[in-house]
Amino acid sequence: MIDPHWRALEGSMWKAIVAGTATLAITGASLVYAQQGGRDDGVQRWRPSAEDLRAFGEARLAALKAGLSLTPEQARNWPAFEQAARDFSKLRIDRRIALRSAPPQQ
């Protein structure tokens, strides 16, 4: 017969092993990703234009509205939310374009 204390200790050991393994995997993946960030191999990544970003924002809003299944009472408030979301999106796009066109800092 297995002692109940051993069974509790065995369970906590497995939890510690799983937690440690997950931590190592996440840390290792983060380090690899961080090392690849500064690589300049001459390959140009696709950078969405302002029009692309606006189109993605509109698609996101349409998907959000469709996914929410708004009640008629909620649907009356949707235009105000939609305008606020568009205004915020415009600010983000403008800031992104400004950062992209700014000269690189030394």
Side-chain angles (χ1 to χ4, degrees), residues 17-40:
I17 291 170
V18 169
T21 303
T23 302
L24 285 174
I26 292 169
T27 303
S30 299
L31 291 173
V32 169
Y33 182 74
Q35 288 176 353
Q36 292 176 351
R39 190 175 73 186
D40 185 20

Side-chain angles (χ1 to χ4, degrees), residues 42-106:
V43 175
Q44 197 67 332
R45 291 185 335 154
W46 176 73
R47 295 167 85 171
S49 67
E51 293 79 27
D52 292 334
L53 294 172
R54 282 187 196 92
F56 289 141
E58 290 298 318
R60 240 186 336 266
L61 274 174
L64 178 63
K65 186 175 182 181
L68 287 175
S69 302
L70 300 173
T71 65
E73 183 178 328
Q74 293 169 327
R76 283 192 306 246
N77 296 323
W78 180 258
F81 171 79
E82 192 173 25
Q83 187 58 48
R86 282 190 177 113
D87 292 344
F88 184 69
S89 177
K90 183 177 178 341
L91 287 173
R92 288 182 60 228
I93 291 168
D94 292 345
R95 185 173 52 230
R96 191 173 196 170
I97 298 300
L99 285 173
R100 191 183 295 171
S101 62
Q105 295 181 349
Q106 295 294 328

